[in-house]
Amino acid sequence: IAGIVEGKTVLVTGAAGSIGSEIARQLSFYNLKNLILIDHAESPLYDIEQELKESCRTKETINPICEVANVKDRYRMDTIFDNYRPDIVYHAAAYKHVPLVEANACVGVKNNVMGTLKALEASQAAGVESFTLVSTDKAVNPTNVMGASKRVAELVVQAHSTGNASMRCSMVRFGNVLGSSGSVFPLFREQIAKGGPLTVTHPEVTRFFMTIPEAAQLVLQASAMAEGGEVFVLDMGEPVRIADLAKRLIQLSGLTLREGPEGAGEIEICFTGLRPGEKLYEELLLGDNVLESRHPRVMRALEEHFSWEDLAPQLAALEVACQSDDVDSLRRILGFLVRGFPVEPVVHSETA
């Protein structure tokens, strides 16, 4: 990592989020020329700025430069990129909450897809050397708009990297991170503190998990190995049953599980039913074409993608659908672009 980033100006979008802020923390310990942090959420951006400034006073870290900006605003992005001329970009800005994006499909796609496109175009115009998209396992065979939007974001980066020798583009795909905003771990802790119940969508639902520092470190490792166009997939270990995680957290809190409303024990687990578009399990790979890398926890996936000539008209149609809030057209375009995405919304019938 040091060989790639030291002496360089590095820019992180979504720098106030769980992954973006941790990437910023870890980058701050390298001998960078500048560290530029972008987010449209002012308060959390202020928080990470103050944290890193305090760290700069007490440790050998770099003082960050923070810019409030929305990645969808191309003029603002161009202004920032022109001012600082970054060498390396980590694009972590995204809407990630599945139910919210499902209910606000056009807003989610506009942010995740068009935001990625505009960040990529601004990077290209500014002569950026390396662009890394932070992606998700929900992009693989997605049944929800959030996952489909992240897969299209990957397609944008893949298409852009084809025949583009001036900027190395790569993607890093991984699963859930413990403790991030909206994840089950802090939710379960809050529910335990209130006396329960712990809410789980389905008895068999599983997810991959990794700690935030571990995920950020592997994103940096993967991007340092990028040659152009790779989809890096992190080794997330074995998937974890959410119900088992809930039971374990109850035990670790010194409490006992209550089996049913009238049963003995202190904390109950309630199954609420899968949410719209939610899957029982997530996947990390679109196919079986996987190669090792120089890092044992990072794999390289070779996946089919569109050429820029074929993708560009679909992106234009997608932008029109977003601007007119035409969800039906948006879902049809996503269904054309993304393997496994259902044009009709997935609504689960099973409930508690």
Side-chain angles (χ1 to χ4, degrees), residues 20 116-117 249 307 350:
T116 298
L117 177 60
L249 285 175
S307 68
E350 60 262 56

Coordinates of all heavy atoms in Angstrom, one line a residue, residues 20 116-117 249 307 350:
G20 N -15.8 4.5 4.3 CA -15.1 5.6 3.8 C -14.2 6.2 4.9 O -13.1 6.6 4.8
T116 N -21.5 7.3 -9.3 CA -20.3 6.6 -9.7 C -19.8 7.1 -11.0 O -18.6 7.4 -11.2 CB -20.5 5.1 -9.7 OG1 -20.9 4.7 -8.4 CG2 -19.3 4.4 -10.2
L117 N -20.7 7.3 -12.0 CA -20.3 7.7 -13.3 C -19.7 9.1 -13.3 O -18.7 9.4 -13.9 CB -21.6 7.8 -14.2 CG -21.4 8.3 -15.7 CD1 -20.3 7.4 -16.4 CD2 -22.7 8.3 -16.4
L249 N -25.3 -13.1 21.1 CA -25.2 -11.8 21.7 C -26.0 -11.8 23.0 O -25.7 -11.1 24.0 CB -25.7 -10.7 20.7 CG -24.7 -10.4 19.6 CD1 -25.4 -9.4 18.7 CD2 -23.4 -9.8 20.2
S307 N -19.6 -3.5 -23.2 CA -18.7 -2.5 -23.7 C -19.3 -1.1 -23.4 O -20.5 -1.0 -23.1 CB -18.5 -2.6 -25.2 OG -19.7 -2.3 -25.9
E350 N -44.0 -14.6 3.7 CA -43.8 -15.2 5.0 C -43.6 -14.1 6.1 O -42.9 -13.1 5.9 CB -42.6 -16.2 5.1 CG -41.2 -15.5 4.7 CD -40.9 -15.8 3.2 OE1 -41.7 -15.4 2.4 OE2 -39.8 -16.3 3.0

